[in-house]
Amino acid sequence: MKFRDMISMSFANLFHRRVRTVLTVMGVVIGTCAIIVMLSLGFGMRQSMEDLMKSMGDLTVITVYGSGSDSSEGLDDSALKDLRKLPEAAAITPVYFLDSSCVAVNCRKYQFQGMIYGVAMDTLEKFGYEAETGSLPESDFKNTDILFGSQSAYSFCDTSRKSNNYVEPIPNKNGELPKPFVDLTKNRFTLSVNLPEDSTARNKEEKLRVLGTLKEDFSRNPSPSSCIFMDYAYAKELREKYNKLNKVKGSSDFYDQIILKMNSIDVVPEAVQKITDLGYQSYSMESQRNEVEKQLRTVQLILGGLGAISLLVAALGITNTMVMSIYERTREIGIIKVLGCVVWNIRAMFLMEAGAIGFLGGAAGIGISYGISAFLNSLAAQMSASGGGGIFAMGGKISIIPIWLIFGSIAFSTLIGIISGILPANRAMKISALTAIKQE
Amino acid sequence: MNIISIRDIRKVYHIGTEKVVALGRISLSVAQGEICCILGTSGSGKSTLLNIMAGLERPSRGNVVIGGTDVTRYNEKQWALFRQKNIGFIFQSYDLLPTMTALENVAMPLAFRGMDKEIRTRKAVKMLRAVRLGNRMLHRPTQMSGGQQQRVGIARAFVARPRLIFADEPTGNLDSKTGREVMELMVSMARKYRETLIIVTHDPEIAKYAGRVIKIHDGSKISDERNTEAMGTKEES
Ligand SMILES: Nc1ncnc2c1ncn2[C@@H]1O[C@H](COP(=O)(O)OP(=O)(O)O)[C@@H](O)[C@H]1O
Ligand SMILES: [Mg+2]
């Protein structure tokens, strides 16, 4: 028997019992919708998580902390040398923290109160920092070359006053920010190491050269906001000087962090492993993301499972319909056997019928799922516009149907149909022509 | 030449411990082109005999030879393929498929053989015209009378030009007038296409159309007579 003839016979049967066919197909539609919508919610969740992660930090960056109770212990120049050997690193910089108790950066009577970060100045560009004014340093820069963060102008304190000595960066009614005390690009700034309070010696002041200011970017660490970036070796030198002048015991050799920028996300887990093997603790958005991903996968599995249950019910529906159909058609099946239809053709026709129910249900289910998905997304958009919605609706979609899911679910529902048809088809195949035609 | 011959066929049904002998030793041969009627009362074993000859049932003992081939030990698959080519069937309750038109029903046995739709439709159209249903081709079984349905059934049995056509009580569901019409049609078709026709009936009136009448009673052959004055023969000559 020709394939085409089997198909047309199967469809004639489905059409002949169209009410039942439609009802059975509807079961599959509901099952398919349940799976697709559930999975699409999972994909939506994943997407918003990923977007959230990206806004929180660079996935290719690894931050290394020292081991031991004092977290900076161990991150000295030899550690830096060790870490520089990692082949997949595109850039590497130590971060040396220096605060305003240690050094004073002044502009007339105004004093800087933010953090000073000692970094490898020539790596900033590779780490993705961008200049708002001026430019990032290239290879030749001096110790006294610095970069300001975007908000640093508001971190200057008027030392002549006891109170109200800051300008807060709060916009007025017209949305304009108040003018800060200093102009980062035009004013002159000096730096001096703080002396003990009882010291009579005079502060030696160094003139600083401002290379520029950095663009605000909270996904970077250290974030270029209310701070100064300078060369790490110079920062270390300043600390050393301070320790000597103030008779502070302790070493100034240890960096607070060493930050690595990797060539791609893929090499991050491997590099993290190597860093752990070297005995350092590290943190990366990538490993965070892996954790979240694991949890998301569980959530998705649960959602998919819920959908699968309804498809299972639909599968039982298909089996039931086909078995019923066989009872009704026992005599018919006997007749076509007597007329020379071979058994595997009979089986194939039943499988086709069951498969067609699955296919039709899957196809209709996809259409309806798209509708449901669009509805959910518009609902989420409304909610996020009115301020609610939480992490599911950060302006994005809560339900995403990828292309592969369309083909996947059609193939899956067809397969489910065929599987549900196996038992009835085998039964139809085994019907004895003789008993069938003796039956009235 | 004998198209079919059966030898020493015996059929015993076992119901629990009880034995029902449906057929005692029956032997008979039918020649090519013969129109043969198996006549007997209800329960005499006619259907059992026919089903054994058509491979729907296995005999307890004996052999069936069709066209020189011993088909007794054929399995279900072999029988199906054999029936596709060699055997046509006419049923008491017509048994057309309700999902199909008259034309599709007639073409169906050809579809089972894998014949192209175009060719089989042409053959089916020709057959439907031969049974005078040229104007009912696209009707479904529910849109036709019993007599018309049985004529479609006849066309379906003849369309593949098999070597043997079996009919079990072909007029059993028809009134006597329509029954006579159907019998005349069937017999004239068989003569026209030189088909071998084996009809099972309990009705002696029907037997008058056959060229040979085999009477059976309680599973045994009691007579085998030629009927030189078979009805319908005159029309042909
Ligand atoms: N499947 C069966 N099981 C048991 N007995 C059967 C079966 N089929 C037929 N018989 C018996 O065999 C005998 C012949 O039946 P059948 O060939 O149908 O008779 P007919 O067609 O001449 O009316 C009857 O006595 C019937 O009861
Ligand atoms: Mg009978």
Side-chain angles (χ1 to χ4, degrees), chain A residues 438, chain B residues 13 15 20 22 41-49 57 168 200:
Chain A
K438 275 188 177 173
Chain B
Y13 291 109
I15 301 169
V20 180
T41 52
S42 180
S44 56
K46 316 178 290 290
S47 294
T48 305
L49 181 61
E57 202 159 5
D168 193 346
V200 157

Side-chain angles (χ1 to χ4, degrees), chain A residues 1-2 4-5 9 12-13 16 331-332 335-344 431 433-434 437-438, chain B residues 13 51 56-57 76-77 80-81 83-84 89 91 93 95 97-100 108 111-112 114 116 120 156:
Chain A
M1 206 174 166
K2 282 204 163 59
R4 256 183 40 205
D5 294 326
M9 249 178 111
N13 275 319
H16 190 69
R331 189 170 168 90
E332 244 175 66
I335 297 296
I336 62 173
K337 273 191 171 180
V338 172
L339 294 180
C341 188
V342 287
V343 287
W344 62 83
I431 286 173
L434 185 70
I437 61 167
K438 275 188 177 173
Chain B
Y13 291 109
N51 292 337
L56 302 180
E57 202 159 5
E76 195 188 8
K77 180 179 149 190
L81 294 172
R83 277 197 296 268
Q84 273 183 7
F89 249 96
F91 302 94
S93 45
D95 288 305
L97 291 202
T99 56
M100 294 183 169
M108 188 169 60
F112 293 152
D116 266 345
R120 67 174 196 252
R156 182 175 66 183

Side-chain angles (χ1 to χ4, degrees), chain B residues 87-180:
Chain B
I87 293 176
F89 249 96
I90 297 165
F91 302 94
Q92 177 173 355
S93 45
Y94 336 125
D95 288 305
L96 306 178
L97 291 202
T99 56
M100 294 183 169
T101 62
L103 187 64
E104 287 166 337
N105 263 293
V106 174
M108 188 169 60
L110 300 176
F112 293 152
R113 286 188 184 188
M115 192 180 279
D116 266 345
K117 187 166 184 173
E118 202 187 319
I119 305 170
R120 67 174 196 252
T121 303
R122 209 183 314 132
K123 288 184 191 254
V125 166
K126 213 168 127 193
M127 242 350 123
L128 274 170
R129 293 215 172 104
V131 296
R132 300 191 304 275
L133 281 174
N135 55 347
R136 292 283 188 279
M137 299 219 220
L138 300 180
H139 286 220
R140 286 183 196 276
T142 48
Q143 298 161 333
M144 288 184 281
S145 71
Q148 286 170 336
Q149 284 186 58
Q150 193 58 301
R151 271 145 65 192
V152 175
I154 292 167
R156 182 175 66 183
F158 278 80
V159 74
R161 306 299 311 279
R163 302 161 93 167
L164 262 171
I165 293 173
F166 293 108
D168 193 346
E169 309 270 14
T171 59
N173 283 15
L174 300 170
D175 61 80
S176 52
K177 181 172 170 285
T178 317
R180 280 197 298 277

Side-chain angles (χ1 to χ4, degrees), chain A residues 5-239:
Chain A
D5 294 326
M6 289 197 272
I7 286 191
S8 70
M9 249 178 111
S10 302
F11 274 84
N13 275 319
L14 287 176
F15 189 71
H16 190 69
R17 294 165 175 84
R18 44 191 164 275
V19 174
R20 188 190 302 163
T21 302
V22 166
L23 288 174
T24 316
V25 165
M26 248 151 69
V28 183
V29 169
I30 292 168
T32 315
C33 278
I35 285 196
I36 295 179
V37 171
M38 288 296 183
L39 285 180
S40 82
L41 288 176
F43 290 128
M45 225 185 272
R46 173 173 296 226
Q47 187 64 54
S48 32
M49 276 296 173
E50 216 135 274
D51 292 349
L52 188 69
M53 288 278 174
K54 261 184 206 141
S55 73
M56 278 163 60
D58 192 335
L59 290 170
T60 57
V61 164
I62 304 172
T63 306
V64 180
Y65 303 93
S67 55
S69 52
D70 177 359
S71 70
S72 66
E73 202 178 342
L75 289 185
D76 54 7
D77 280 321
S78 77
L80 190 59
K81 224 167 113 190
D82 279 350
L83 294 171
R84 271 192 211 285
K85 283 182 198 147
L86 291 178
E88 304 90 355
I92 179 165
T93 179
V95 184
Y96 199 90
F97 290 3
L98 212 56
D99 58 42
S100 46
S101 68
C102 198
V103 290
V105 173
N106 292 308
C107 175
R108 304 191 302 275
K109 59 179 179 176
Y110 306 111
Q111 192 172 60
F112 181 69
Q113 296 296 326
M115 277 300 286
I116 296 170
Y117 298 119
V119 297
M121 294 288 270
D122 52 349
T123 61
L124 290 178
E125 195 164 357
K126 285 205 179 120
F127 274 97
Y129 291 95
E130 284 173 71
E132 198 164 55
T133 61
S135 63
L136 297 178
E138 287 176 12
S139 52
D140 51 327
F141 52 88
K142 286 189 295 190
N143 277 349
T144 49
D145 288 354
I146 61 160
L147 282 162
F148 275 116
S150 60
Q151 296 291 309
S152 300
Y154 292 102
S155 301
F156 279 84
C157 167
D158 186 344
T159 50
S160 66
R161 291 207 229 171
K162 282 272 177 274
S163 64
N164 202 19
N165 44 7
Y166 281 100
V167 180
E168 297 290 344
I170 299 166
N172 64 13
K173 279 183 211 131
N174 303 329
E176 290 158 357
L177 285 169
K179 197 171 142 26
F181 290 138
V182 297
D183 185 324
L184 298 177
T185 51
K186 294 206 181 97
N187 292 150
R188 288 176 180 283
F189 297 87
T190 58
L191 178 142
S192 59
V193 175
N194 288 338
L195 297 172
E197 298 223 340
D198 54 353
S199 169
T200 51
R202 257 191 63 86
N203 272 352
K204 188 172 172 276
E205 300 219 324
E206 298 251 23
K207 277 184 188 152
L208 294 171
R209 185 168 70 141
V210 179
L211 297 172
T213 59
L214 294 165
K215 221 180 243 173
E216 187 82 272
D217 187 348
F218 289 111
S219 71
R220 309 267 161 237
N221 172 41
S223 96
S225 190
S226 310
C227 62
I228 290 171
F229 281 59
M230 65 164 59
D231 182 57
Y232 68 93
Y234 186 51
K236 206 155 99 174
E237 202 182 303
L238 290 171
R239 162 77 81 173

